[in-house]
């Protein structure tokens, strides 16, 4: 699985939001935006991923403004959080498990630095 596959980006976003929730930390957009420490991807692609996560009910904190164009437009509507459905998807979906396995130890180190606690 490539580091910029949709499943990998979704996994990293959901994992970041879940770790924020578990550690009582407010999620910051700059931590998981298209150009962040977690990944570097085109903004349009990132909007597509965020819109999918919002429309599936896995995260809150964004409004999908317009999905009729070639790329969806999203607007921040803080706070950014993972939902119960998002946690279930992260923990139980086979593609998320493959993304977890594909993530290197470097991801956990970066995530730990962002969150401020050691992530296993």
């Amino acid at each position: 699985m490539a580091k910029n596959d949709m499943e990998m980006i979704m996994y990293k976003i959901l994992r970041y939001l879940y770790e924020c929730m578990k550690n009582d930390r407010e999620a910051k957009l700059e931590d998981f935006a298209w150009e962040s420490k977690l990944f570097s991807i085109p903004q349009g692609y990132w909007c597509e991923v965020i819109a999918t996560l919002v429309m599936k009910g896995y995260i809150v904190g964004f409004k999908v403004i317009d999905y009729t164009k070639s790329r969806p437009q999203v607007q921040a509507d803080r706070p950014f959080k993972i939902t119960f459905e998002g946690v279930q998807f992260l923990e139980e979906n086979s593609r998320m498990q493959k993304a977890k396995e594909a993530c290197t130890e470097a991801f956990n180190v970066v995530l730990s630095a962002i969150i401020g606690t050691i992530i296993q």
Side-chain angles (χ1 to χ4, degrees):
M1 187 174 291
K3 66 180 182 177
N4 67 347
D5 281 353
M6 190 175 215
E7 291 91 346
M8 288 290 285
I9 302 302
M10 286 179 163
Y11 174 79
K12 290 177 178 182
I13 291 170
L14 292 172
R15 178 84 187 278
Y16 166 77
L17 293 173
Y18 191 34
E19 292 299 332
C20 283
M21 182 175 74
K22 291 192 308 185
N23 289 283
D24 196 29
R25 183 179 183 281
E26 183 180 343
K28 297 178 185 172
L29 183 58
E30 61 266 19
D31 289 342
F32 66 102
W34 57 94
E35 286 290 333
S36 66
K37 292 179 182 174
L38 296 181
F39 43 76
S40 177
I41 59 174
Q43 184 178 3
Y45 180 39
W46 180 84
C47 287
E48 192 81 46
V49 172
I50 293 295
T52 300
L53 291 170
V54 168
M55 291 187 313
K56 293 280 188 183
Y58 298 152
I59 65 172
V60 295
F62 295 92
K63 290 181 182 178
V64 180
I65 304 299
D66 185 7
Y67 211 125
T68 59
K69 297 180 181 177
S70 62
R71 294 279 186 193
Q73 303 296 311
V74 295
Q75 179 180 3
D77 187 28
R78 290 176 176 83
F80 308 113
K81 294 186 177 189
I82 189 170
T83 64
F84 179 72
E85 292 78 9
V87 173
Q88 284 184 311
F89 179 71
L90 178 66
E91 302 274 324
E92 298 173 6
N93 181 274
S94 63
R95 298 293 291 171
M96 289 296 100
Q97 292 308 307
K98 287 182 181 181
K100 179 181 179 179
E101 293 167 9
C103 278
T104 64
E105 184 60 31
F107 170 71
N108 287 334
V109 170
V110 170
L111 187 58
S112 294
I114 293 170
I115 301 294
T117 188
I118 296 175
I119 307 294
Q120 300 291 334

